[in-house]
């Protein structure tokens, strides 16, 4: 169960209550046999619990991206369809990712994805859920936050530091928008985040070109 709790945390599953219910179920089943030895329910309890754990494991992996181990597009869409409170949607796009694959190879492209997804998870996972929603597109849904700008600055700063040892590491653009259920449509919030993403991409590109 310690491994299962670690597994659940690693894959951003916050429904640990399910694991707690399984633990309580096992404790009750084993206790019954101690109290009534003739009941012989211990192995039945463990068998049923193993089935529950199997379904729990499958439920988690069904919503995980195989390459980055972030949550996948299915999980992203499911969450947004059911969210009932105000959140912040952050969209991420790796600049010129196609040219990286074409010029430096797909192995380096996968390395870039790995660096970006680990940095996203490191910076944002304590504040919400992290997703890979496309080839080089990522999303974070912040459910708790103090300053979105501060988090984004930390993310960009970490990539800048890694770029010192890996100069081919591309830049990553970020766009954000608030989504409040009942007051707006989710598609409008995503569109706003996408527009902000490309505004930032254009702005940062101009700033980098002016420095050179």
């Amino acid at each position: 169960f310690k491994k299962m709790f670690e597994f659940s945390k690693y894959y951003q599953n916050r429904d640990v209550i399910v694991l707690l219910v399984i633990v309580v179920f096992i404790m009750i089943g084993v206790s019954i046999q101690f109290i009534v030895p003739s009941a012989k329910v211990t192995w039945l309890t463990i068998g049923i619990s193993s089935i529950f754990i199997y379904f729990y494991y499958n439920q988690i992996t069904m919503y995980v991206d195989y390459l980055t181990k972030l949550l996948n597009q299915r999980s992203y869409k499911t969450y947004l369809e059911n969210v009932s409170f105000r959140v912040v949607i952050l969209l991420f796009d790796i600049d010129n990712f196609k040219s990286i694959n074409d010029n430096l190879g797909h192995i380096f492209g996968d390395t870039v994805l790995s660096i970006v997804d680990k940095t996203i998870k490191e910076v944002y996972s304590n504040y919400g859920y992290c997703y890979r929603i496309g080839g080089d597109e990522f999303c974070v849904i912040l459910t708790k936050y103090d300053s979105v700008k501060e988090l984004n600055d930390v993310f960009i700063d970490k990539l800048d530091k890694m770029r010192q040892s890996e100069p081919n590491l591309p830049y990553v653009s970020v766009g954000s928008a608030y989504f409040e259920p009942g007051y707006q449509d989710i598609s409008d919030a995503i569109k706003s985040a996408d527009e902000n993403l490309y505004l930032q991409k254009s702005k940062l590109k101009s700033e980098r070109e002016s420095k050179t």
Side-chain angles (χ1 to χ4, degrees):
F1 276 102
K2 179 176 180 292
K3 289 293 183 182
M4 284 300 298
F5 277 110
E6 292 172 353
F7 175 85
S8 176
K9 183 179 179 181
Y10 180 80
Y11 288 107
Q12 304 180 71
N13 191 302
R14 310 295 208 272
D15 294 331
V16 291
I17 187 66
V18 176
L19 289 178
L20 293 175
V21 169
I22 295 173
V23 172
V24 171
F25 178 74
I26 290 177
M27 292 176 64
I28 291 173
V30 172
S31 299
I32 288 174
Q33 185 157 329
F34 273 108
I35 297 169
V36 186
S38 60
K40 308 295 183 186
V41 295
T42 296
W43 288 112
L44 177 63
T45 301
I46 293 174
I48 292 173
S49 299
S50 297
I51 293 172
F52 288 156
I53 290 173
Y54 173 77
F55 282 119
Y56 179 78
Y57 171 84
N58 280 347
Q59 180 72 13
I60 293 176
T61 54
M62 189 190 322
Y63 289 101
V64 172
D65 177 68
Y66 76 98
L67 179 62
T68 63
K69 301 302 184 288
L70 296 182
L71 298 171
N72 61 18
Q73 190 179 64
R74 175 189 292 182
S75 177
Y76 162 74
K77 289 182 177 179
T78 300
Y79 185 83
L80 286 180
E81 286 171 359
N82 295 282
V83 67
S84 58
F85 52 90
R86 194 187 198 205
V87 297
V88 179
I89 299 173
L90 299 176
L91 295 181
F92 301 75
D93 184 75
I94 300 175
D95 296 350
N96 304 313
F97 187 68
K98 185 178 183 303
S99 66
I100 290 171
N101 280 330
D102 292 342
N103 299 321
L104 299 175
H106 289 275
I107 293 177
F108 183 73
D110 288 347
T111 300
V112 169
L113 291 175
S114 178
I115 291 172
V116 172
D117 85 66
K118 287 178 182 176
T119 308
I120 287 175
K121 193 172 182 181
E122 182 181 343
V123 174
Y124 298 96
S125 62
N126 288 332
Y127 303 92
Y129 297 96
C130 307
Y131 305 83
R132 182 191 182 198
I133 57 175
D136 64 323
E137 297 174 343
F138 298 85
C139 174
V140 170
I141 298 177
L142 296 177
T143 56
K144 52 182 180 178
Y145 45 87
D146 294 321
S147 171
V148 176
K149 184 180 183 304
E150 285 181 11
L151 286 175
N152 291 345
D153 287 344
V154 171
F155 171 72
I156 292 169
D157 184 59
K158 283 181 176 293
L159 290 182
D160 285 341
K161 289 178 180 176
M162 283 185 276
R163 200 171 288 112
Q164 294 173 9
S165 58
E166 179 47 78
N168 288 319
L169 184 66
Y171 291 89
V172 179
S173 300
V174 187
S176 64
Y178 288 93
F179 170 57
E180 191 156 359
Y183 292 92
Q184 63 184 138
D185 190 79
I186 183 60
S187 60
D188 292 332
I190 294 173
K191 182 180 178 182
S192 294
D194 197 49
E195 289 173 349
N196 290 332
L197 166 68
Y198 283 95
L199 282 173
Q200 194 214 36
K201 184 187 287 283
S202 177
K203 176 185 175 184
L204 294 178
K205 182 179 178 181
S206 298
E207 288 178 354
R208 291 194 295 268
E209 288 176 347
S210 65
K211 289 179 181 179
T212 57

